[in-house]
Amino acid sequence: MKAELTFSDIDVTIRVPAGIRVIDVSEKVGAGIMYGCREGDCGTCLMHVLKGGENLSVPSILESKILQENMAGKNFRLACQAQILGDVTVEPA
Ligand code: FES
């Protein structure tokens, strides 16, 4: 299954295999999402989900904890944790 991931900051849309994590695509295409640990621990990769939030994997307990610590709103996710399951549009937080 394929899904379309759009990075609104660089206006790029890519078809990706479902299940891939946002960070794995964003670093390849040069989108502006920053990252550090890639393990759901540092919170650097916080991103804003503009569309299709329901098409991302449900946050793990670890991700939920980091989101809470960063006082992230409900449309914010960690790019190193969120897996793409359908069409999604994101931008750096
Ligand atoms: S890169 Fe550290 S939480 Fe995502």
Side-chain angles (χ1 to χ4, degrees):
M1 201 179 98
K2 294 266 186 185
E4 286 194 346
L5 176 60
T6 300
F7 296 98
S8 65
D9 61 326
I10 55 171
D11 201 17
V12 165
T13 299
I14 311 141
R15 277 176 72 74
V16 298
I20 199 168
R21 298 180 306 169
V22 175
I23 199 74
D24 294 329
V25 186
S26 69
E27 66 173 345
K28 278 201 189 97
V29 301
I33 298 171
M34 311 288 283
Y35 61 91
C37 71
R38 300 178 62 115
E39 291 174 358
D41 200 37
C42 69
T44 311
C45 65
L46 194 67
M47 64 176 179
H48 185 208
V49 183
L50 297 167
K51 263 194 277 177
E54 70 280 8
N55 293 331
L56 290 172
S57 57
V58 174
S60 64
I61 292 170
L62 177 66
E63 182 180 351
S64 299
K65 179 172 159 269
I66 299 295
L67 290 172
Q68 242 170 32
E69 283 175 9
N70 284 277
M71 289 185 280
K74 74 173 171 61
N75 292 325
F76 289 81
R77 294 291 304 271
L78 296 180
C80 76
Q81 299 297 299
Q83 288 174 290
I84 303 150
L85 305 174
D87 297 353
V88 187
T89 302
V90 300
E91 66 178 3

